[in-house]
Amino acid sequence: MKIFLVGFMGCGKSTKAKQLASLLACPVIDIDAVIVEQQQMSIADYFAANGEAAFRQLENEMLKSFDYPETCVVATGGGLPCYFDNMEWMNQNGVTVYLEMTPPQLVSRLHNRDKRPLLKGMDDEQLLTFIVGKLEERNVFYHQAKLVINAFDLDPKQLLEEIKSLN
């Protein structure tokens, strides 16, 4: 089973992917980390050098061309489900899980904003406004996930049980 974790930046996709992979004794694939390794530069640097459109194209190619093991947990970038037919592709190729959080919960978790190209220089109020707006755009994609779960203080064993109950 391939599990694709989707959700807004800061919702815990990378952390939950590691925890789930540990419980399942399977590999974890972090799409952003694979891109960083392949491109030999941070996501922020890639954004700055090539722009968002080029990054979204690269992300799309990485998602669809990666040689996934039979069982694995995949952490996606926050915007990945919202471009091309990525959400549809993930739904066809595995179990999608939207790690949902409220805008204030996300603000409370997004401390190191300079590492995130879309958040650079924002204070908490600006960030909250930005998150509310982005979630309005993205929720139509996020809510196509096979499982939508409140990710704040989410226990990985509970998450795994919810995923298993889908089959």
Side-chain angles (χ1 to χ4, degrees), residues 113-133:
R113 297 175 194 158
D114 286 344
K115 284 189 175 173
R116 301 180 184 267
L118 296 174
L119 306 184
K120 243 187 170 119
M122 288 188 190
D123 65 25
D124 283 1
E125 200 174 308
Q126 292 168 317
L127 181 59
L128 183 62
T129 302
F130 173 81
I131 291 171
V132 168

Side-chain angles (χ1 to χ4, degrees), residues 11-159:
C11 74
K13 295 179 299 288
S14 296
T15 301
K16 290 293 173 241
K18 288 176 191 145
Q19 293 169 340
L20 277 175
S22 175
L23 290 172
L24 291 165
C26 72
V28 62
I29 293 121
D30 188 313
I31 299 284
D32 282 351
V34 172
I35 289 172
V36 166
E37 189 179 310
Q38 182 201 60
Q39 296 298 313
Q40 297 291 296
M41 66 172 71
S42 71
I43 301 293
D45 288 346
Y46 190 91
F47 247 76
N50 303 289
E52 184 174 7
F55 175 74
R56 297 302 177 195
Q57 184 64 46
L58 177 64
E59 200 178 39
N60 173 262
E61 290 163 10
M62 188 63 62
L63 172 71
K64 294 175 184 172
S65 67
F66 196 88
D67 186 17
Y68 297 100
E70 191 58 41
T71 300
C72 62
V73 183
V74 182
T76 66
L80 182 141
C82 312
Y83 292 88
F84 308 102
D85 61 345
N86 291 347
M87 197 66 203
E88 188 181 324
W89 187 91
M90 289 186 288
N91 275 326
Q92 288 171 353
N93 289 278
V95 176
T96 49
V97 180
Y98 172 26
L99 299 177
E100 188 172 39
M101 283 192 190
T102 66
Q105 288 170 335
L106 290 165
V107 169
S108 76
R109 295 172 55 108
L110 289 165
H111 303 294
N112 196 347
R113 297 175 194 158
D114 286 344
K115 284 189 175 173
R116 301 180 184 267
L118 296 174
L119 306 184
K120 243 187 170 119
M122 288 188 190
D123 65 25
D124 283 1
E125 200 174 308
Q126 292 168 317
L127 181 59
L128 183 62
T129 302
F130 173 81
I131 291 171
V132 168
K134 277 288 181 200
L135 282 176
E136 281 178 17
E137 292 170 19
R138 292 179 174 185
N139 270 335
V140 66
F141 298 99
Y142 291 159
H143 279 275
Q144 291 172 30
K146 293 177 182 173
L147 175 63
V148 176
I149 192 162
N150 182 330
F152 201 74
D153 292 331
L154 177 61
D155 177 71
K157 290 187 179 111
Q158 178 198 348
L159 176 57

